[in-house]
Amino acid sequence: MNRNVFGEALIPCCLSPKTGFYRTGYCETDEIDTALHTVCAVMTAEFLAFSLSKGNDLTTPRPELDFFGLKPGDKWCLCLTRWMEAYQVNKAPKVILEATHEKTLDLISLDELVKFAVKSK
């Protein structure tokens, strides 16, 4: 069972648009997900611009991939390393801890993550 950073059952991050490595709506991970799409984040214009500057365009629709582009306020399962890069330059988006996979704690402490926490709506 996939667990969140509190050791509880992982809740969905976002079902519309469907997020996650497997597009299940959950930030679940396994050995195939080498990028660790484990952080349930609430998109901001600042983070989306940062991601684009790093070569990952999350805003342009790609209907052939069933991806219609993200906008501020959307929730999305981010790669842990990308969230950490943004964190290091003060551009990290807020996170929904109950939907963030426990593997996230391999790179950042729960105490630090709590500073970025928002409630799931």
Side-chain angles (χ1 to χ4, degrees):
M1 174 193 287
N2 285 288
R3 299 203 174 277
N4 65 28
V5 296
F6 300 118
E8 301 165 345
L10 197 63
I11 69 166
C13 179
C14 187
L15 299 173
S16 181
K18 270 203 175 165
T19 187
F21 182 73
Y22 291 105
R23 296 297 191 264
T24 61
Y26 291 80
C27 298
E28 56 196 345
T29 191
D30 59 22
E31 63 281 347
I32 296 170
D33 177 18
T34 57
L36 295 174
H37 294 78
T38 61
V39 180
C40 180
V42 181
M43 297 297 96
T44 63
E46 182 178 45
F47 175 78
L48 291 168
F50 174 78
S51 185
L52 180 60
S53 77
K54 296 295 183 179
N56 188 19
D57 182 0
L58 296 173
T59 60
T60 300
R62 300 280 312 271
E64 71 278 11
L65 300 175
D66 202 28
F67 179 75
F68 297 94
L70 299 176
K71 62 187 179 318
D74 286 343
K75 294 178 265 177
W76 197 248
C77 294
L78 293 179
C79 297
L80 175 53
T81 53
R82 181 56 39 100
W83 190 89
M84 289 297 299
E85 287 175 347
Y87 167 78
Q88 291 167 351
V89 295
N90 297 315
K91 296 183 188 293
K94 298 291 186 181
V95 298
I96 298 170
L97 297 176
E98 297 83 2
T100 296
H101 195 280
E102 66 186 350
K103 284 294 276 181
T104 303
L105 300 177
D106 288 354
L107 288 183
I108 189 164
S109 72
L110 181 57
D111 288 341
E112 198 60 25
L113 272 178
V114 165
K115 296 175 186 176
F116 292 87
V118 293
K119 292 283 182 192
S120 177
K121 293 180 183 175

